[in-house]
Amino acid sequence: SNLSLQFPIVIKTPQGFSTTDVYICGDENDAMSKVGIIVNGRAAPDCRIPMFALAEEYIGGKEFAVNMMSTADGIECTDAWLYRKEVGEGVARYISADMMDPGEKKLEKVVTYAKQVAAAVGILYGAAHLELKASYCEEKKQYINPCMIEIGARLSGGRKTTLTQAVIEGWQPFQALIDAHCGNKVKFPLSFSPGEQHARHLFLPHRLSGRITEIRGADRFESLSTYHSHFLLAKVGDVVERTTDITSFGGFVWLAGPRQAVEDDARAVWETFSFQTEPIEKESNVGEISGVPNM
């Protein structure tokens, strides 16, 4: 109450990254138990031992990533992404990230806000990557009340830069980054609208803790009509924990192409791919993650 916070709140390590050791807590007992996990003497993701935990407001709404290029002529929004997540057991697991049209009216307030934040923190040259949340207003048919999560003077991770390059004709993001920092004229395409093209980043979870005995469906990735790339972080024989954050995913698939084809290929991945595991001693399963997420 002294912090003017209302549940749910976020308890997280001050020394983490990529959603590691970040918990959504519904009451005080839950919050204190997560503080205990963080300050129990084990090393944080950055290999230091935390002495305290952070309590923060939980920001509601949908999560976006907005990417921009800042030049002497101003700030241009190059691409925007909507994350889909499952929230449960105190954590948020990513399902996918979908390319949006940054020029679409429903993103007008989101993009305007992103540019204002980039300008406010002094990103004058080069790339800017903003993560934020916003709520959709049915009456206005727009996302409203954007609120920053974090911003960095960098290109986006998760291969979103190369996916945008694959979808937007004439866009050369890496050349643009160099030109922006050198003070040269940046060559932007006529539009950053993907039109009928689409891109999606799929997150592949470990549904259960244990030892991997088989990886099913990965051999079919490259035959998908919209296949762009993929990366598997685990192999047969690895001992893995059930996915709770970005760093504990088993892999990723990136798709780019006609919208409906991307939708079809994404569903094919969910229906055919899985990590098969066998239980091991000290198993920490708390139930199984659903194989086919509600898209």
Side-chain angles (χ1 to χ4, degrees), residues 259-281:
R259 178 175 295 275
Q260 188 56 55
V262 168
E263 295 280 355
D264 294 342
D265 285 349
R267 183 153 297 281
V269 171
W270 295 131
E271 291 175 349
T272 61
F273 179 83
S274 65
F275 292 102
Q276 298 297 304
T277 59
E278 61 180 9
I280 59 173
E281 195 173 346

Side-chain angles (χ1 to χ4, degrees), residues 61-65 81-83 85 94 131-134 149:
K62 299 291 188 180
E63 183 177 340
F64 292 87
W81 300 78
L82 172 64
Y83 287 98
K85 299 188 292 185
Y94 289 92
E131 295 174 6
L132 61 85
K133 280 191 169 183
I149 300 173

Side-chain angles (χ1 to χ4, degrees), residues 167-186:
V167 169
I168 304 301
E169 185 176 355
W171 178 227
Q172 299 296 329
F174 303 105
Q175 182 62 51
L177 181 65
I178 295 171
D179 287 338
H181 279 287
C182 291
N184 298 332
K185 186 75 173 178
V186 174

Side-chain angles (χ1 to χ4, degrees), residues 99-272:
M99 175 179 274
M100 306 289 283
D101 186 342
E104 196 172 3
K105 181 174 176 56
K106 68 180 179 180
L107 289 187
E108 182 179 9
K109 294 184 183 299
V110 167
V111 171
T112 298
Y113 175 82
K115 291 180 179 180
Q116 290 172 341
V117 171
V121 300
I123 301 178
L124 302 177
Y125 301 97
H129 170 72
L130 175 68
E131 295 174 6
L132 61 85
K133 280 191 169 183
S135 300
Y136 188 73
C137 176
E138 285 288 349
E139 182 180 352
K140 296 182 178 179
K141 304 299 182 185
Q142 280 187 316
Y143 285 96
I144 62 172
N145 300 326
C147 182
M148 181 182 72
I149 300 173
E150 65 179 26
I151 187 169
R154 62 177 179 88
L155 292 170
S156 175
R159 302 193 183 179
K160 294 178 180 62
T161 300
T162 52
L163 278 177
T164 302
Q165 182 179 19
V167 169
I168 304 301
E169 185 176 355
W171 178 227
Q172 299 296 329
F174 303 105
Q175 182 62 51
L177 181 65
I178 295 171
D179 287 338
H181 279 287
C182 291
N184 298 332
K185 186 75 173 178
V186 174
K187 296 180 180 178
F188 292 114
L190 294 177
S191 171
F192 280 103
S193 171
E196 294 304 313
Q197 297 296 298
H198 190 52
R200 179 174 291 176
H201 174 188
L202 302 178
F203 296 76
L204 307 177
H206 294 294
R207 298 173 190 164
L208 293 170
S209 300
R211 180 177 286 105
I212 297 177
T213 58
E214 182 184 2
I215 300 176
R216 295 180 180 173
D219 57 333
R220 303 179 183 179
F221 289 161
E222 294 186 26
S223 66
L224 298 170
S225 65
T226 63
Y227 173 82
H228 177 273
S229 56
H230 78 277
F231 188 74
L232 293 180
L233 295 161
K235 62 183 184 300
V236 172
D238 286 352
V239 175
V240 298
E241 292 291 329
R242 183 172 181 265
T243 294
T244 57
D245 54 45
I246 290 179
T247 62
S248 58
F249 276 96
F252 310 95
V253 176
W254 293 273
L255 306 172
R259 178 175 295 275
Q260 188 56 55
V262 168
E263 295 280 355
D264 294 342
D265 285 349
R267 183 153 297 281
V269 171
W270 295 131
E271 291 175 349
T272 61

